[in-house]
Amino acid sequence: MFADRARIFIKSGKGGDGHVSFRRELYVPNGGPDGGDGGKGGDVIFVVDEGLNTLADFRNVRKYCAGNGQEGSKKKMHGANGADIILKVPPGTVVKDAETGKVILDMSNRKDPVVLLKGGRGGKGNQHYVTPTMQAPKYAQPGQRSQELTVDLELKVIADVGLVGFPNVGKSTFLSRVTNARPKIANYHFTTLNPNLGVVDLDGGQGFVIADIPGIIEGASEGIGLGLQFLRHIERTKVIVHMVDAAGVEGRDPVADIKAINAELEAYNPDLLKRPQVIAANKIDALYGEGLEEAIEKIRAEFREEGIEVYPISAVSGQGLKELLWHINELLSKVDPEPVVFETEFTFEMPDISNEPFTVEYDAEADEYVVEGPRIERMLGYTNLESEKGFEFFQNFLKTNKILEQLEELGIQEGDTVRMYGLAFDYYK
C-alpha cells in the first residue's frame, strides 16, 4: 500500500557524565583531579533520499533513538560520542509535531542533512572544577539530557500540476497518454489508490511534472473515504487541472463536479483556489456536432467570469491534448518556479536547565554537613547574604534545588552545622 503518513518517536542521545577521579601513581600520593569529560550524545538527522517515494519503512519501525555519549574516565580520558541516527525520507516529506500538528521541518527543497534533535552535551570531569579554595573537587558535571519528540511524517507529492476530478473521468488515461507514467486503468471507481506522477515533455526542452490526485470527492475535506490522504498532495501543486466527463457518459454533470471539487479544496485550504485552474473537458469523442458544442459552451459559460479556460479533449484519441498542455505550460511560466515550501511553525528547544553539579555530604570527622560544587560557588558569588532579599533568595535556592531535602535524608538535626565553602551556619527548620 502507498504510505504517505507515519507517526514516529525520535530521541537524541544523552550526553555522557563527567568522571570523578584523582591521579594515583607511585610516589604521587596526592595527585590532582584527572576525571575526563563525557562524550556528546548522538543527533537525530533527517536527509532526503531521491530514491524513495513512500514512507512505508516508517510504518514498520516507529522508534528511532540516537546513541548516548559514554562517561569520561580517569587520566583525563574523554568518553566516546554517541552515534547519530540518520532518517532517510522521500522528497516532499513534511515533519510535524504530533501533539500540535504544527510544521517543524519541510524537506521539499533540502539538499543537505538537517539536524532536528541535537544530542546532549557531555558533562565536564572534575579536573575542570579546581579552584583556589577547592583543590580536590569530588564532583563532575552530569551529561546534558537527551531530546525526544513524537512527530508525524507526511509525504506531499512535489508536482507542478495537480490533476483532479471525480472517479472514471479519464485522468489515468490522460496521464498515460501525455507522460511516461503507466497507471493502472480500468472502468470502475477508485481504481487509482496512489498519486501517479509523470513528466510532460514539450518542444524546445520545456515541460513539467503532473500528478494524478485521486480520491477527491464530496466530503473529502471531512475525511470521507481516502480524501484527506490525497488532498495533502495537491498543496504542492501550482496549477490545478479539472478533468470532467463532458459527454456525461455516466450521467454526471461536469459543472456540478467542478464546483463540488473546488468546494472541497476550499474547505481543506482556501489558498488552493488562488492558484491558476484550467478545465479539461474529456470524452468529446463520444459527442458529435451540436451536442459537442452545446456541452462545451455550457461549461465555458459557467466559468468564463472566473477566467478559467475550457479545453475539449479526448484522452483516448489524443484530440486537443497539445493545445491543453501548452496552455498549462503558459500558466506555469507566470508563477513562481520555486517549490511550495511550508513555513516552520514549531521549534523544538531544549529546556533551559542548569545542570552544574553539587554534592551534599556529611563529614563525620568535622561533624558537619558539607555542600559544595560549581553551582553553589557561583550562587554564593553573586548573593549578598547580609541583605534581607539576598538571604531570602539563598533560602529559596536551597529549597528549589532540593538541598534541604538531601540534608534531611542524611539525617541532619536542628542545630547541626552546614558548611558551604567559607560560609557556615546552623540548621533550623
Side-chain angles (χ1 to χ4, degrees):
M1 179 181 176
F2 181 81
D4 67 348
R5 187 180 176 94
R7 175 167 290 185
I8 62 172
F9 172 81
I10 54 177
K11 182 178 181 180
S12 64
K14 174 188 176 299
D17 296 337
H19 189 66
V20 177
S21 63
F22 298 89
R23 183 182 172 197
R24 292 290 180 265
E25 296 180 18
L26 189 63
Y27 308 118
V28 187
N30 296 314
D34 69 349
D37 300 345
K40 176 186 174 299
D43 299 332
V44 177
I45 302 172
F46 279 80
V47 62
V48 169
D49 186 338
E50 299 286 349
L52 296 176
N53 54 21
T54 78
L55 296 170
D57 292 344
F58 296 100
R59 298 175 74 90
N60 300 322
V61 181
R62 297 181 180 270
K63 188 174 182 180
Y64 298 87
C65 301
N68 294 330
Q70 291 186 359
E71 181 184 354
S73 58
K74 58 185 179 180
K75 297 183 179 180
K76 301 182 180 180
M77 294 181 66
H78 196 288
N81 293 336
D84 297 335
I85 186 165
I86 299 176
L87 303 182
K88 296 181 179 181
V89 296
T93 300
V94 177
V95 183
K96 293 183 176 181
D97 174 47
E99 185 175 347
T100 64
K102 293 184 176 180
V103 175
I104 302 174
L105 181 64
D106 186 345
M107 299 295 291
S108 63
N109 61 348
R110 302 277 186 169
K111 303 299 181 184
D112 301 318
V114 179
V115 177
L116 187 60
L117 297 183
K118 293 183 178 180
R121 184 180 60 249
K124 295 180 179 179
N126 68 334
Q127 60 171 312
H128 295 281
Y129 297 112
V130 177
T131 67
T133 58
M134 176 55 62
Q135 294 294 304
K138 300 175 184 176
Y139 42 79
Q141 187 182 40
Q144 192 178 37
R145 294 188 302 176
S146 59
Q147 301 177 356
E148 58 184 54
L149 200 60
T150 299
V151 297
D152 286 331
L153 304 181
E154 290 186 1
L155 176 57
K156 297 176 185 282
V157 172
I158 300 177
D160 301 308
V161 179
L163 183 63
V164 298
F166 275 76
N168 248 17
V169 295
K171 299 194 304 296
S172 295
T173 303
F174 171 79
L175 196 69
S176 66
R177 181 93 187 195
V178 302
T179 74
N180 56 358
R182 292 294 176 266
K184 293 180 180 179
I185 300 171
N187 189 28
Y188 51 89
H189 295 314
F190 296 108
T191 305
T192 308
L193 293 179
N194 302 344
N196 291 303
L197 271 73
V199 178
V200 175
D201 293 316
L202 299 175
D203 295 337
Q206 300 187 65
F208 49 85
V209 178
I210 187 168
D212 170 12
I213 311 294
I216 302 179
I217 59 173
E218 290 180 272
S221 61
E222 299 174 0
I224 294 176
L226 300 173
L228 278 178
Q229 293 187 32
F230 298 130
L231 274 168
R232 65 173 57 93
H233 292 297
I234 206 168
E235 290 185 275
R236 297 277 193 196
T237 60
K238 297 166 186 167
V239 172
I240 297 173
V241 177
H242 285 274
M243 182 159 287
V244 294
D245 178 2
V249 174
E250 295 190 355
R252 302 200 62 87
D253 179 357
V255 172
D257 284 357
I258 294 170
K259 289 187 174 182
I261 289 178
N262 272 342
E264 295 304 320
L265 296 180
E266 184 177 26
Y268 180 73
N269 182 352
D271 289 338
L272 292 175
L273 293 191
K274 298 177 182 178
R275 298 174 192 178
Q277 296 189 15
V278 59
I279 298 170
N282 192 27
K283 301 188 180 181
I284 61 170
D285 52 295
L287 293 169
Y288 305 95
E290 294 182 2
L292 171 59
E293 293 180 8
E294 184 180 335
I296 300 302
E297 183 54 35
K298 178 184 176 183
I299 301 172
R300 281 181 174 150
E302 190 68 37
F303 298 98
R304 185 176 288 121
E305 290 187 5
E306 298 179 36
I308 302 176
E309 296 284 347
V310 179
Y311 282 79
I313 66 166
S314 170
V316 174
S317 69
Q319 184 180 350
L321 295 184
K322 186 175 181 181
E323 292 80 4
L324 171 62
L325 296 178
W326 277 108
H327 177 68
I328 295 171
N329 192 64
E330 182 182 355
L331 292 176
L332 286 170
S333 68
K334 298 176 182 178
V335 298
D336 188 350
E338 290 298 314
V340 177
V341 178
F342 298 93
E343 296 294 329
T344 298
E345 303 170 316
F346 179 95
T347 303
F348 183 86
E349 295 180 355
M350 188 67 181
D352 183 18
I353 62 168
S354 174
N355 62 358
E356 290 186 332
F358 64 87
T359 58
V360 180
E361 298 177 339
Y362 173 67
D363 186 346
E365 188 174 328
D367 190 26
E368 59 185 21
Y369 293 83
V370 181
V371 181
E372 59 185 19
R375 196 189 311 182
I376 308 301
E377 190 172 26
R378 217 158 49 102
M379 180 272 297
L380 293 175
Y382 58 63
T383 305
N384 179 12
L385 296 178
E386 300 298 321
S387 69
E388 183 177 346
K389 285 188 176 180
F391 189 75
E392 183 178 348
F393 172 82
F394 172 71
Q395 289 180 311
N396 287 334
F397 178 87
L398 298 180
K399 184 176 181 180
T400 57
N401 286 275
K402 299 185 178 180
I403 294 174
L404 297 179
E405 185 176 314
Q406 292 186 48
L407 288 169
E408 290 176 357
E409 289 176 359
L410 290 174
I412 194 170
Q413 301 295 322
E414 290 194 0
D416 288 347
T417 301
V418 179
R419 181 173 297 280
M420 297 183 182
Y421 293 105
L423 174 70
F425 62 92
D426 294 333
Y427 172 80
Y428 290 100
K429 281 191 176 181

